[in-house]
Amino acid sequence: MDLSDIQKTAGLRTPIRNQLFIDGKFVDALSGETLATLNPHDNSVITHVAMAGKADIDLAVAAAQRAFPKWSRLPAAERGRLLLKLADLIEANAEELARLESLDTGHPLKDSRFLDVPRTAGCYRYFGGMADKFQGETIPVEAGFLNYTLREPVGVVGQVVPWNFPLMFTSWKMAPALAAGNCIVMKPAEITPLSSLKIAELMAEAGIPPGVVNLVPGLGSVAGQYIAEHPGIAKVAFTGSTATGKRIVQASAGNLKKVQLELGGKGPNIVFEDANLQAAINGSAWAIFHNQGQACIAGSRLVLHEKIADAFLDKFVPLAQSIRLGNPMDDATEMGPLTSLQHRDRVLSYVEVARQQGGEILTGGKAPGGALSGGCYVEPTIVRAKSFKDRVAQEEVFGPFVTVLTFKDDAEAMQIANGTDYGLGSGLWTSNVHRAHSFARDIYAGMVWINCYKRVNPGSPFGGVGQSGYGREMGFDAMREYTQVKSVWVNIDAQIPPHYKR
Ligand code: NAP
Ligand code: MG
């Protein structure tokens, strides 16, 4: 395969994979259909990727079912060794993966290099190490009996991921599933399939057997929906919007699949009057503007104590204005484009929504002109809302768009924090230790960051409550999600049951 011009310009050294990955081989879709994947910097076509239909997914499920008996019975340490090898290969191909991810998603190369790729390698390494450390229990039961539990893999798992962190989210889902002995059929997002296909190539190189992992890029409404419905799939793990999550739950009912959902959020990021203001300003910018705000855990509601609100905004607004927007492939770029034009337009539509409810646009609110006008860019946007009930304070915008709200006292801060249907990430900035921990206790959320924001680690549980979904990724919790418990009873004293004595 020759390198295309677009690849050469992007500094890629190896051919881009653009086929389905089924049973250890890259293949075209049976229908021959493809989908274009675009570079969000200028909306040029990077490549056309095979588009899986139902028949392709049937083949992927069958391959996974064939691979399962051997893979699930492989010594756990051996599965772990293969994941550790994959982590090494990811590091050996770090620059290639970073460039591919930036080209396909718009993540600034700086972020892909220092966050997405190392976190991906770190995730496979963590769960590679975990594979032979996750164990069942022995339970103290009545005399003469031994009771123990086995943690068994669920079987063939379907995984459906969104476009905002394709490389990272693929690892969050695949690493624990594989460590626990499951086989996988995964659908990447339609607009960002490239990095996960590269990972499939590296998995084959690492020696992960054919059929253990299958990748079926395609449409959500077809391929995603069919994975959720498929009777041969025992569990479906999904990251994406709350609306799609609900569809998945319904589709999964046919064979009562185990379901895990990581859905949307509207993270409250609360700054109290006793906070270290500079730390809170920088942390709040990171909370919302990293990855162009396309993060479920983004601190998209900036909740300021009224005493410090002006001083905070006096520095926060110019900081947002100084963020360097540009081509993600440039080393200096701090903010790239959003991942699609359709999504950019959706984000911009919220500027009008804000205005209609009396919101004040403090900065941004439009697409930049000039050299960036052909891409999916949005200026860092700060909106001051009138009420925490306004739409821009309730609905997930999923862009570089932060809604500012103010409060008078702790009770009002808590009312605002818990005043949405979501419950995913949340943060607070304070020097009062009582306040910090009482808020951590009372916030309705899956994650709380105190004097920091958006920290993630493969050992720390990640997930939400309420409309943000259920189940946890990362850590021992992820291994629990990807296994089921079997309870085994042994009559060790060879007792004859006392019942029906004759
Ligand atoms: P989305 O539209 O729900 O799509 C997510 C994935 O689901 C994509 O692969 C999509 O395919 C697929 N899909 C669409 N319709 C489907 C159906 N009927 N059945 C099965 N799969 C289907 O979400 P998005 O807009 O791409 O992603 C942004 C959302 O993800 C935000 O709400 C964000 O908060 C959430 N998110 C949550 C977390 C978390 O951990 N809680 C993390 C990141 C993002 P296509 O690509 O073809 O559309
Ligand atoms: Mg793309």
Side-chain angles (χ1 to χ4, degrees):
M1 248 193 285
D2 286 335
L3 297 185
S4 65
D5 287 345
I6 196 160
Q7 274 184 258
K8 286 182 199 149
T9 316
L12 292 168
R13 294 178 291 104
T14 54
I16 290 179
R17 293 291 182 178
N18 58 4
Q19 291 172 293
L20 315 179
F21 184 72
I22 297 179
D23 208 8
K25 292 188 237 11
F26 284 97
V27 293
D28 289 330
L30 292 170
S31 68
E33 286 188 273
T34 60
L35 265 170
T37 186
L38 308 181
N39 171 359
H41 168 62
D42 55 10
N43 290 303
S44 57
V45 175
I46 303 170
T47 184
H48 292 85
V49 177
M51 179 167 88
K54 288 185 175 185
D56 302 294
I57 290 173
D58 285 336
L59 292 179
V61 173
Q65 285 174 331
R66 281 195 304 276
F68 181 71
K70 206 165 162 198
W71 178 250
S72 57
R73 294 209 172 101
L74 209 61
E78 180 59 14
R79 287 197 301 269
R81 193 185 66 78
L82 293 170
L83 292 178
L84 295 174
K85 201 160 165 203
L86 174 63
D88 291 344
L89 282 171
I90 290 169
E91 279 167 357
N93 289 274
E95 183 64 12
E96 187 78 357
L97 281 164
R99 287 182 174 273
L100 194 58
E101 187 77 333
S102 288
L103 182 68
D104 202 17
T105 64
H107 293 197
L109 196 50
K110 218 194 243 289
D111 290 350
S112 300
R113 277 182 183 144
F114 293 112
L115 292 170
D116 303 67
V117 174
R119 281 181 179 175
T120 299
C123 181
Y124 286 111
R125 188 163 287 131
Y126 176 87
F127 285 104
M130 170 79 88
D132 61 350
K133 287 154 198 84
F134 184 67
Q135 57 202 28
E137 295 171 323
T138 54
I139 292 107
V141 291
E142 49 273 37
F145 290 89
L146 166 68
N147 179 233
Y148 64 91
T149 59
L150 295 172
R151 281 277 173 180
E152 298 182 331
V154 181
V156 176
V157 300
Q159 302 182 325
V160 179
V161 290
W163 43 260
N164 56 330
F165 290 101
L167 189 59
M168 230 167 64
F169 285 166
T170 302
S171 71
W172 292 15
K173 293 227 179 315
M174 286 199 186
L178 293 175
N182 300 279
C183 292
I184 295 174
V185 176
M186 171 178 278
K187 191 196 89 66
E190 159 190 338
I191 59 172
T192 57
L194 300 183
S195 58
S196 50
L197 291 171
K198 183 75 189 174
I199 291 290
E201 181 187 311
L202 298 181
M203 283 179 161
E205 197 180 329
I208 294 176
V212 170
V213 171
N214 304 275
L215 271 145
V216 287
L219 300 177
S221 55
V222 179
Q225 179 79 21
Y226 193 51
I227 285 175
E229 288 167 3
H230 205 293
I233 294 180
K235 159 173 174 156
V236 60
F238 171 74
T239 297
S241 62
T242 299
T244 307
K246 291 180 182 175
R247 248 173 253 136
I248 297 226
V249 171
Q250 282 164 353
S252 70
N255 68 333
L256 290 181
K257 278 185 192 63
K258 215 175 154 165
V259 182
Q260 184 177 351
L261 300 173
E262 306 287 348
L263 309 176
K266 191 74 182 172
N269 177 36
I270 313 169
V271 185
F272 291 94
E273 71 278 22
D274 59 5
N276 173 336
L277 217 54
Q278 195 57 53
I281 289 166
N282 282 47
S284 302
W286 162 254
I288 186 62
F289 296 126
H290 165 237
N291 204 34
Q292 297 75 254
Q294 301 170 125
C296 51
I297 55 175
S300 54
R301 290 184 295 152
L302 179 56
V303 189
L304 305 175
H305 192 281
E306 59 183 20
K307 273 196 204 144
I308 49 96
D310 287 343
F312 186 100
L313 292 170
D314 282 349
K315 287 190 171 177
F316 186 67
V317 172
L319 178 62
Q321 288 163 339
S322 74
I323 293 174
R324 287 191 294 272
L325 255 68
N327 187 339
M329 305 311 281
D330 292 344
D331 286 341
T333 293
E334 292 176 321
M335 186 186 279
L338 302 195
T339 301
S340 73
L341 211 50
Q342 190 193 14
H343 184 58
R344 182 200 72 170
D345 293 345
R346 185 178 172 275
V347 169
L348 287 174
S349 75
Y350 274 97
V351 177
E352 201 38 48
V353 171
R355 283 206 184 96
Q356 276 165 9
Q357 293 191 296
E360 189 189 346
I361 316 299
L362 302 182
T363 187
K366 56 185 192 318
L372 302 183
S373 57
C376 310
Y377 294 86
V378 172
E379 290 179 357
T381 299
I382 305 173
V383 170
R384 196 168 185 155
K386 285 204 150 150
S387 156
F388 78 94
K389 294 186 175 157
D390 290 352
R391 283 183 59 196
V392 288
Q394 290 288 326
E395 296 173 22
E396 187 180 46
V397 178
F398 218 59
F401 183 114
V402 65
T403 300
V404 179
L405 299 161
T406 54
F407 65 92
K408 280 193 204 56
D409 54 24
D410 286 16
E412 194 184 4
M414 186 52 87
Q415 183 193 24
I416 294 173
N418 287 347
T420 74
D421 294 334
Y422 291 115
L424 194 59
S426 64
L428 55 112
W429 302 82
T430 179
S431 54
N432 179 330
V433 73
H434 299 291
R435 179 182 270 158
H437 293 289
S438 70
F439 266 76
R441 181 193 59 201
D442 295 339
I443 274 187
Y444 188 63
M447 291 159 280
V448 184
W449 294 286
I450 299 171
N451 293 329
C452 57
Y453 203 94
K454 239 180 157 190
R455 306 286 321 172
V456 291
N457 182 285
S460 179
F462 185 104
V465 294
Q467 299 283 305
S468 296
Y470 43 76
R472 291 293 177 272
E473 306 207 274
M474 313 295 217
F476 282 86
D477 286 289
M479 296 296 285
R480 288 183 198 107
E481 301 276 351
Y482 280 103
T483 51
Q484 52 209 5
V485 186
K486 182 182 276 171
S487 173
V488 181
W489 286 82
V490 188
N491 178 355
I492 43 176
D493 286 343
Q495 300 175 51
I496 296 179
H499 324 289
Y500 307 115
K501 266 195 182 142
R502 298 289 186 268

